[in-house]
Amino acid sequence: QDCGVARRSYIVATLLLQCSWWVCLLLDMCVGVGQARTFNETPIHPRRCIQILTKILYMIGQGEAIGTTEATEAFFAMTKLFQSKDIMLRRMVYLTIKEMSSLADDVIIVTSSLTKDMTGKEDLYRASAIRALCTITDSSMLQSLERYFKQAIVDKDSSVASAALTSALHLMKPGVDLVKRWVNEAQQAVSSDSVMVQYHALGLLYHIKKKDRLALSKLIDKHSRSSLRSPYAYCMLIRIAARLVEEEDTGADSNLYDFLEGCLRHKSEMVIYEAARALVNLKNVSARDLAPAISVLQLFLSSPKPTLRFAAVRTLNKVAMTHPLSVTTCNLDLENLITDANRSIATLAITTLLKTGSEGSVDRLMKQISSFMSEISDGFKIVVVEAIKSLCLKYPRKHNVMMTYLSTMLRDEGGFDYKKAIVDTLVTIIEEHADAKEAGLSQLCEFIEDCEHTLLAKRILHLLGKEGPRTPAPARYIRFIYNRVILERPPVRAAAVSALARFGAATDALVPSVVVLLSRCMMDEDDEVRDRATFYKTILEQRQKSLTSQFILNTLNVSVVGLERALLQYVQEPSDVPFDIKTVPLATTTTHDVSRAPGDVGTAGAAGGKPGAVAASRQDVYAEQLSAIPEFAHLGPLFKSSVKPTELTESETEYGVNCVKHTFGKHIVFQFDCTNTLNDQILEHVFVHMESSDGFDVQVTVPCPTLKYNEPGTTYTCIALPDDPTQVTGTFSCTLKFIVKDCDPNTGEPDTDEGYEDEYVLEDVEIAVADHMQRVVKSNFAASWEELGNDHQIEEVFALTQIKTIDAAVKQILQFMGMQPCERSDKVPENKLSHTLLLSGVYRGGHDVLVRAQLVSDQGVQMKLTVRSTDPDVSQVIASAVG
């Protein structure tokens, strides 16, 4: 017993001494670089030098700024330490050389010393010397050091060989062509007895051959037959094979699929799991093809090793999202994991069962998971919430149970991401199930009474302002909103003022009460809150539907980045003409953005970006690129860019061409992104020749000067739209024309300066009505419909005999017209024989367009189309486009 006490006392004393040493070290950190002169003392004091090097490394690791002069002086002084034979000091020198190689000048002075250690007889120095030498080597030095690296790769010492192989991977950046010549040595290293050397050698071989599919296929075929000893190398081989299968996009029909399936019978559990994970992640595979991998994962569920159980259940959880029926065979094993001591495994098991189980098992599973929700981390709580979300979409009748459970989770402790996931799920339920709206809004109202997250409070207030006025008793929500004006921070108060204004704009009976509340808000201490209250109060007092619709219910839909650019240009170039908001590009909108507030960056900012930062959209990037081309400077602001590029060639052909359409006021610019897949050719003066018989005039072509192997290039063609405003659609035949120069496949240098002209026929490009239309959200369609009026209204009746269901008709109409569905009218209830689709958008030139399509299922689909617009020609174009 006395010995035990003495031992514990000794350990405590040692720890105290070490802590005190580190405290002193940190206090003396500022003079670490200045103490480098100690390295010049004779004899060398290893312990003192190690402390100084530790200080320098700590300063670099903490991001302390070290001047180039100081770093160079310390680096040169450190070279004297190569005279010491102390092993620990020499290793510290190698580490410091690696860290200071980018800070000091003339670091190549230690090349000879490192080369000597690299080729010496002391194995403890050689591996570290190779890694240090790699950091200071550039392309000019690599040629002279090549033979040393080649020898190290095939060295008998596994640490030396691994260091040389990993250094070769880093050296591929400055000297890729030189490293490719080491393929024979790397191939020899794959046969090493060391598992890590095999792994690193296979990794180097992959990076050398990754652009050659045939070479990779031979690599897999060779080493799959030779039975690699290293399980790590086998895992890498599996990943290489899986990547090739994905690129082929053939799924189980690929020749490599048999190799992946054969790995399921490997003796290493690591390799078996890697093969199973690769198989379940493949695209274009059926449930039958997944069966072997699912069986292996099912066996892992009953493994005594927690890591295997966790890996298996986590993978099955992902598979259940796409192939839930395939995972149902594992339900019994998953049930046994619910009581697992590891709560992470139990959580994943339950969420997987929620995705694969029957509707009757939902209540039981929810009770089981609620018993230990407080014991798991927020990350796994989010997994549970996502499972509940998918469950609500799968079993609509269970949304009441789910919402009760979610409301309880909202009141529990948790971080921002966890609360955001719950709010997102509640919003989805509210949007998908009309009968759940009031209960969901009530739960969110209770949550914001004690919500510490500003971004979530703003989003909920926007949702209340959007959905609350449509409920049978909208006045019940005003109290919760006004409480935020009294109790919350300025951003939340401003959002609450906007929500109050929407209640007044949508419900005439509430206008007097809302005006009184806004009058009180006009005394707020924050400028933004006062300005919003004054603005909204003035509009509501006018009692004009057009004003409330334009400025409150349907806000301005412009690109923030585009607005900033247009205002800056207007200020820098003074003009007597007033600033026109129609010159600002519209905000690009997708169907999934409807539930988010315009300009609300709550979810985006929380995801890891800076809160409040506005990221440039894809269209903003295109606008900036096109404005930099002199030939397009006179075209004006960019109206729209196509969302998805159109492929004009097959993926296996020698030239790849994709087309992106950019619509301007009176022109359309076609952007052709080209790729040359032939390594023995260089293409010059590349452009696309376009012809049309529909009255479109090709005005400008901007060729791509040079198109090298596997390097993308871009060429543009600008066409002028016809003078007839109703002629907006057409088809163009396209031919890729270029000058070919033969070149050396290895160096890419052309054989001669002269080339020959050639061409390649592409697929036709079409201009559709959707290319002239930009999606715009109208949160209150009825108000916007009345605001446009019937001055330019057109009604047509169509018989869509080729379309069998209303749901299919809705999808085709959305794709053809390119407009934004309003009030979730794009979702057609099941077994419904009639439906009304509401669409909104802005036509090229800034003309607002609204469409109401009444669909009836009767021997196909009958459609009554009503179009309203601010321009009669636009109404005619939209109405006649369907016919």
Side-chain angles (χ1 to χ4, degrees):
Q1 184 177 1
D2 293 338
C3 292
V5 173
R7 181 176 178 82
R8 286 195 295 271
S9 301
Y10 172 76
I11 293 174
V12 171
T14 304
L15 290 174
L16 288 174
L17 285 173
Q18 290 179 353
C19 291
S20 62
W21 182 83
W22 276 106
V23 170
C24 295
L25 176 65
L26 294 177
L27 292 174
D28 196 32
M29 192 62 65
C30 59
V31 295
V33 177
Q35 291 179 337
R37 65 178 67 92
T38 306
F39 302 155
N40 297 319
E41 295 180 357
T42 305
I44 296 175
H45 302 284
R47 183 174 177 82
R48 192 185 308 170
C49 293
I50 289 174
Q51 292 181 3
I52 296 171
L53 292 175
T54 304
K55 295 177 184 179
I56 295 174
L57 290 174
Y58 184 83
M59 291 174 63
I60 296 174
Q62 294 298 312
E64 295 288 341
I66 300 178
T68 304
T69 304
E70 293 176 330
T72 304
E73 291 176 356
F75 192 89
F76 273 75
M78 187 175 56
T79 59
K80 300 293 183 65
L81 300 180
F82 279 99
Q83 301 173 8
S84 174
K85 300 298 182 182
D86 188 271
I87 296 176
M88 295 301 298
L89 176 59
R90 185 67 67 90
R91 288 186 171 182
M92 290 297 295
V93 170
Y94 296 140
L95 285 174
T96 312
I97 289 174
K98 289 170 61 178
E99 297 298 329
M100 296 188 68
S101 60
S102 60
L103 302 176
D105 293 332
D106 300 325
V107 293
I108 60 174
I109 194 174
V110 296
T111 302
S112 59
S113 299
L114 291 174
T115 306
K116 181 180 178 181
D117 288 349
M118 174 183 175
T119 57
K121 296 181 180 180
E122 187 61 60
D123 291 339
L124 293 175
Y125 297 162
R126 295 173 63 196
S128 300
I130 291 172
R131 295 188 183 94
L133 186 61
C134 171
T135 60
I136 66 171
T137 301
D138 56 20
S139 56
S140 60
M141 299 168 51
L142 191 56
Q143 184 77 33
S144 60
L145 298 173
E146 180 183 9
R147 66 187 182 94
Y148 299 120
F149 277 101
K150 280 186 170 184
Q151 292 172 1
I153 288 176
V154 295
D155 197 273
K156 294 181 180 180
D157 190 289
S158 60
S159 62
V160 175
S162 286
L165 289 166
T166 53
S167 298
L169 287 172
H170 293 289
L171 291 173
M172 288 192 73
K173 292 182 179 179
V176 59
D177 294 328
L178 192 63
V179 175
K180 284 183 178 180
R181 300 207 297 252
W182 305 352
V183 63
N184 292 332
E185 285 74 16
Q187 191 66 58
Q188 185 177 345
V190 175
S191 304
S192 171
D193 294 334
S194 171
V195 294
M196 294 308 297
V197 172
Q198 278 193 342
Y199 171 63
H200 292 142
L202 189 63
L204 179 60
L205 285 175
Y206 167 71
H207 283 279
I208 290 175
K209 302 179 179 183
K210 64 181 179 181
K211 292 185 179 180
D212 189 345
R213 290 182 54 84
L214 181 60
L216 285 179
S217 299
K218 291 181 179 179
L219 179 71
I220 295 171
D221 183 65
K222 176 182 178 180
H223 293 292
S224 62
R225 299 174 186 272
S226 61
S227 298
L228 292 169
R229 293 188 182 90
S230 172
Y232 309 110
Y234 236 112
C235 289
M236 174 166 284
L237 205 62
I238 290 171
R239 294 188 180 186
I240 296 172
R243 184 170 299 178
L244 289 179
V245 174
E246 286 184 3
E247 291 176 358
E248 293 173 358
D249 200 22
T250 54
D253 297 330
S254 173
N255 295 329
L256 296 174
Y257 178 83
D258 295 333
F259 164 69
L260 294 176
E261 188 177 2
C263 292
L264 295 175
R265 294 178 287 276
H266 197 272
K267 61 182 179 180
S268 171
E269 293 173 336
M270 181 193 307
V271 175
I272 295 173
Y273 171 72
E274 187 67 35
R277 191 181 71 88
L279 286 171
V280 299
N281 288 332
L282 291 179
K283 299 177 182 178
N284 300 329
V285 290
S286 62
R288 182 179 179 182
D289 299 325
L290 292 177
I294 298 295
S295 300
V296 168
L297 294 173
Q298 185 176 4
L299 292 176
F300 283 170
L301 292 177
S302 56
S303 172
K305 299 178 181 179
T307 52
L308 281 179
R309 297 200 304 273
F310 176 80
V313 72
R314 187 167 181 260
T315 305
L316 289 172
N317 187 278
K318 294 181 179 179
V319 177
M321 297 179 184
T322 53
H323 298 86
L325 294 179
S326 299
V327 186
T328 53
T329 57
C330 306
N331 281 0
L332 183 60
D333 299 274
L334 291 170
E335 292 268 5
N336 297 331
L337 291 180
I338 293 177
T339 57
D340 195 281
N342 188 312
R343 291 308 189 191
S344 300
I345 296 176
T347 303
L348 288 171
I350 290 182
T351 52
T352 307
L353 286 169
L354 287 175
K355 298 171 185 176
T356 61
S358 61
E359 187 172 1
S361 63
V362 171
D363 296 338
R364 176 176 56 84
L365 292 173
M366 297 308 299
K367 290 179 181 177
Q368 286 180 309
I369 199 171
S370 61
S371 62
F372 59 83
M373 276 294 291
S374 59
E375 302 177 25
I376 59 178
S377 63
D378 279 4
F380 285 102
K381 289 179 181 178
I382 294 174
V383 173
V384 174
V385 174
E386 293 295 332
I388 294 174
K389 182 178 180 180
S390 60
L391 196 68
C392 290
L393 299 177
K394 185 177 180 181
Y395 302 120
R397 291 181 296 181
K398 288 293 182 181
H399 68 264
N400 290 326
V401 178
M402 298 294 102
M403 292 185 69
T404 303
Y405 184 68
L406 289 171
S407 64
T408 305
M409 296 170 69
L410 266 180
R411 293 190 291 269
D412 296 337
E413 294 294 328
F416 173 81
D417 292 334
Y418 173 50
K419 298 293 185 180
K420 172 182 169 295
I422 300 174
V423 172
D424 288 343
T425 303
L426 284 172
V427 171
T428 302
I429 296 174
I430 291 171
E431 293 179 346
E432 294 292 332
H433 308 288
D435 53 342
K437 181 184 295 186
E438 291 188 59
L441 292 179
S442 299
Q443 291 174 4
L444 292 175
C445 285
E446 295 177 4
F447 172 62
I448 60 173
E449 288 291 323
D450 190 25
C451 177
E452 59 183 4
H453 305 292
T454 300
L455 296 175
L456 287 182
K458 288 167 57 180
R459 184 180 181 191
I460 292 172
L461 286 169
H462 172 77
L463 181 69
L464 288 173
K466 176 186 172 184
E467 301 290 347
R470 300 174 184 173
T471 59
R476 61 185 296 191
Y477 303 108
I478 291 182
R479 172 175 63 89
F480 297 99
I481 298 174
Y482 189 67
N483 283 346
R484 310 279 62 78
V485 178
I486 301 172
L487 304 173
E488 291 288 352
R489 286 162 282 189
V492 180
R493 298 204 301 270
V497 168
S498 298
L500 284 174
R502 294 177 73 89
F503 275 83
T507 310
D508 293 336
L510 296 177
V511 171
S513 302
V514 172
V515 168
V516 172
L517 296 178
L518 292 177
S519 300
R520 297 177 183 177
C521 297
M522 291 168 61
M523 306 300 293
D524 195 277
E525 60 184 13
D526 185 73
D527 293 344
E528 177 70 19
V529 178
R530 291 199 305 271
D531 291 347
R532 289 195 187 191
T534 304
F535 176 70
Y536 291 138
K537 176 177 177 292
T538 304
I539 293 176
L540 289 175
E541 287 178 339
Q542 302 298 318
R543 296 295 184 104
Q544 295 184 20
K545 291 291 185 182
S546 59
L547 290 178
T548 57
S549 174
Q550 184 177 0
F551 294 107
I552 299 180
L553 296 177
N554 299 305
T555 54
L556 195 63
N557 291 282
V558 295
S559 166
V560 176
V561 177
L563 178 61
E564 180 184 8
R565 187 184 297 115
L567 289 172
L568 182 62
Q569 183 178 0
Y570 183 79
V571 171
Q572 291 176 347
E573 301 174 3
S575 174
D576 296 333
V577 180
F579 180 78
D580 187 3
I581 194 65
K582 290 187 177 181
T583 62
V584 180
L586 295 173
T588 54
T589 306
T590 61
T591 308
H592 303 288
D593 296 331
V594 181
S595 60
R596 186 175 300 172
D600 184 9
V601 294
T603 53
K610 188 165 75 172
V614 179
S617 65
R618 183 185 181 93
Q619 182 168 319
D620 294 326
V621 175
Y622 281 138
E624 188 172 354
Q625 292 174 350
L626 293 171
S627 63
I629 300 175
E631 290 84 350
F632 304 147
H634 67 286
L635 299 183
L638 176 63
F639 175 73
K640 179 184 180 180
S641 296
S642 54
V643 179
K644 293 183 179 180
T646 304
E647 295 185 358
L648 303 184
T649 59
E650 298 291 338
S651 57
E652 299 84 6
T653 55
E654 52 266 43
Y655 308 115
V657 181
N658 293 333
C659 177
V660 179
K661 290 171 278 189
H662 306 288
T663 305
F664 291 83
K666 296 181 179 180
H667 299 80
I668 293 183
V669 174
F670 295 88
Q671 172 183 325
F672 298 97
D673 297 321
C674 309
T675 305
N676 174 24
T677 62
L678 300 177
N679 60 358
D680 58 349
Q681 289 185 358
I682 294 179
L683 309 184
E684 294 184 352
H685 195 69
V686 183
F687 68 97
V688 175
H689 178 70
M690 304 182 69
E691 291 184 354
S692 173
S693 59
D694 298 321
F696 295 91
D697 181 27
V698 177
Q699 288 195 333
V700 179
T701 298
V702 180
C704 175
T706 305
L707 193 63
K708 297 183 179 180
Y709 166 65
N710 215 25
E711 293 183 6
T714 303
T715 175
Y716 300 90
T717 301
C718 176
I719 67 163
L721 296 171
D723 295 332
D724 184 358
T726 61
Q727 187 176 354
V728 297
T729 60
T731 303
F732 295 83
S733 60
C734 301
T735 305
L736 184 69
K737 296 190 175 184
F738 45 83
I739 297 176
V740 180
K741 287 186 178 180
D742 295 330
C743 67
D744 187 344
N746 297 321
T747 62
E749 296 296 329
D751 298 336
T752 61
D753 294 335
E754 297 182 359
Y756 57 91
E757 294 184 357
D758 200 355
E759 61 183 38
Y760 189 83
V761 178
L762 307 175
E763 298 287 341
D764 292 347
V765 175
E766 295 183 352
I767 298 179
V769 174
D771 296 322
H772 304 268
M773 188 73 68
Q774 182 69 280
R775 294 171 178 263
V776 172
V777 176
K778 296 291 184 182
S779 57
N780 193 308
F781 185 86
S784 301
W785 185 263
E786 294 300 326
E787 180 185 350
L788 275 184
N790 58 1
D791 294 339
H792 307 304
Q793 175 175 305
I794 295 179
E795 286 189 1
E796 298 285 351
V797 178
F798 301 94
L800 309 178
T801 56
Q802 300 298 323
I803 302 177
K804 302 302 181 183
T805 63
I806 294 179
D807 187 53
V810 168
K811 291 179 180 178
Q812 290 203 19
I813 292 170
L814 289 175
Q815 182 179 3
F816 186 76
M817 291 189 175
M819 301 179 71
Q820 176 67 36
C822 299
E823 300 179 5
R824 296 185 292 279
S825 59
D826 57 323
K827 300 184 183 299
V828 182
E830 294 183 1
N831 302 323
K832 195 172 182 181
L833 299 179
S834 62
H835 182 70
T836 301
L837 177 64
L838 308 176
L839 302 175
S840 65
V842 173
Y843 189 80
R844 173 176 50 82
H847 304 291
D848 290 333
V849 183
L850 296 177
V851 172
R852 185 171 61 195
Q854 295 173 305
L855 305 169
V856 178
S857 179
D858 181 18
Q859 296 180 354
V861 177
Q862 307 296 321
M863 179 176 70
K864 179 181 179 182
L865 188 72
T866 306
V867 182
R868 288 187 178 184
S869 176
T870 55
D871 185 270
D873 293 328
V874 175
S875 298
Q876 185 63 40
V877 167
I878 302 301
S880 60
V882 179

